[in-house]
């Protein structure tokens, strides 16, 4: 399942937020979006997963126009995990994960054995089978994010959209969650806050600045000290780490 964004523009309150963006995500690739706060990362993703509607341009899933799909079908193809957030009502972990089965259910249709098996499999994949009966509010931040990831897995979609899903977690849980996502073999598009994590896990990266694509390419091609200064306005030293063979960024004091 591939994803394409062509000539996408979007305005908030008559102010241009995204301008003529083009983006391509190959099937089973992990594509990252980086950029400073306000660069348009979340707005772009919200246009893709249909919370917002583009003013111009098109979004395609396997060459099919997204805006011509009904929401049930697009939900079967694309799942979303955002930043860690609180649930309005307290649910058991397994109940939240089971919400991922909603796109496959008719109105008032009861859960069946297939649904339960999907829930059990998703919880096993994220290592939370032992917490199935626990209340969501009692979990740690890292556990909550794994529950939301399990819900997305249970949705059985081929494309996973992530909006900085580990932004408020410590480094242990950041690495754990990104490693898990990478291992799923799905088509992934993720806004990433940490540039070293983007370097480690992304096959391809888009750099946003002021609502436009500043640059794009493989991590080793675009994660340079010059790009980081031009886009984030900080000094850095970038080298290839001898163990990972990926670009590693050390941020330097402003002199």
């Amino acid at each position: 399942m591939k994803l394409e964004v062509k000539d996408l523009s979007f305005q908030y309150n008559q102010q241009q937020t995204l301008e003529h963006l083009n983006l391509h995500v190959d099937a089973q690739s992990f594509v990252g979006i980086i950029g400073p706060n306000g660069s348009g990362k979340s707005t772009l993703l919200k246009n893709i997963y249909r919370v917002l509607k583009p003013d111009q341009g098109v979004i395609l899933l396997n060459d099919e126009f997204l805006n011509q799909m009904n929401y049930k079908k697009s939900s079967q193809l694309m799942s979303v995990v955002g930043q860690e957030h609180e649930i309005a009502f307290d649910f058991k972990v397994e109940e939240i994960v089971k919400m991922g089965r909603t796109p496959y259910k008719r109105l008032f249709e009861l859960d069946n054995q297939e649904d339960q098996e999907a829930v059990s499999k998703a919880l096993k994949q994220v290592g939370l089978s032992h917490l199935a009966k626990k209340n969501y509010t009692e979990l740690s931040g890292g556990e909550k994010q794994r529950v939301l990831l399990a819900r997305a897995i249970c949705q059985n979609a081929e494309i996973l959209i992530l909006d900085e899903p580990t932004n408020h977690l410590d480094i242990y849980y950041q690495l754990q969650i990104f490693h898990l996502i990478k291992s799923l073999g799905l088509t992934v598009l993720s806004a990433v806050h940490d540039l070293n994590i983007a370097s480690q896990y992304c096959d391809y990266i888009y750099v946003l600045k002021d609502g436009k694509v500043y640059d794009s390419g493989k991590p080793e091609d675009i994660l340079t000290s010059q790009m980081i200064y031009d886009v984030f306005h900080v000094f850095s030293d970038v080298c290839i780490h001898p163990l990972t063979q990926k670009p590693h960024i050390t941020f330097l004091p402003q002199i």
Side-chain angles (χ1 to χ4, degrees), residues 151-184:
R151 182 178 64 184
I153 294 171
C154 197
Q155 200 169 323
N156 201 31
E158 296 182 52
I159 295 179
L160 179 59
I161 307 295
L162 308 168
D163 190 359
E164 296 188 348
T166 63
N167 196 25
H168 301 296
L169 305 180
D170 64 43
I171 190 62
Y172 174 82
Y173 286 115
Q174 290 183 48
L175 293 172
Q176 183 185 62
I177 287 174
F178 272 102
H179 180 76
L180 174 59
I181 292 166
K182 184 79 169 181
S183 72
L184 295 174

Side-chain angles (χ1 to χ4, degrees), residues 22-148:
N22 292 283
L23 180 147
H24 183 92
V25 184
D26 289 326
Q28 296 183 310
S29 64
F30 194 125
V31 174
I33 304 173
I34 63 173
N37 293 339
S39 61
K41 301 187 298 298
S42 291
T43 302
L44 171 59
L45 294 181
K46 288 176 181 176
N47 274 267
I48 292 172
Y49 63 79
R50 308 184 80 177
V51 169
L52 300 175
K53 184 178 180 180
D55 297 316
Q56 177 182 322
V58 295
I59 301 167
L60 302 102
L61 298 181
N62 265 7
D63 300 319
E64 187 174 349
F65 291 102
L66 183 62
N67 67 345
Q68 295 178 5
M69 291 183 190
N70 61 51
Y71 283 91
K72 185 172 185 177
K73 180 177 180 180
S74 65
S75 295
Q76 292 174 352
L77 298 175
M78 179 170 55
S79 57
V80 180
V81 179
Q83 298 181 24
E84 188 267 310
H85 63 278
E86 294 301 320
I87 303 294
F89 300 96
D90 200 8
F91 291 93
K92 303 293 185 184
V93 165
E94 64 179 3
E95 293 173 332
I96 291 178
V97 176
K98 194 176 293 182
M99 293 174 188
R101 301 301 299 164
T102 302
Y104 302 94
K105 311 297 286 186
R106 296 188 299 272
L107 188 64
F108 302 125
E109 182 181 358
L110 298 177
D111 297 326
N112 55 35
Q113 184 64 29
E114 182 181 354
D115 297 323
Q116 190 54 52
E117 289 175 356
V119 171
S120 297
K121 181 180 178 181
L123 283 171
K124 184 177 180 180
Q125 284 184 275
V126 302
L128 291 180
S129 299
H130 62 294
L131 297 181
K133 302 296 183 181
K134 198 174 182 67
N135 290 337
Y136 181 80
T137 55
E138 298 174 6
L139 304 181
S140 68
E143 289 168 340
K144 288 178 179 177
Q145 280 302 84
R146 282 191 285 161
V147 171
L148 299 181

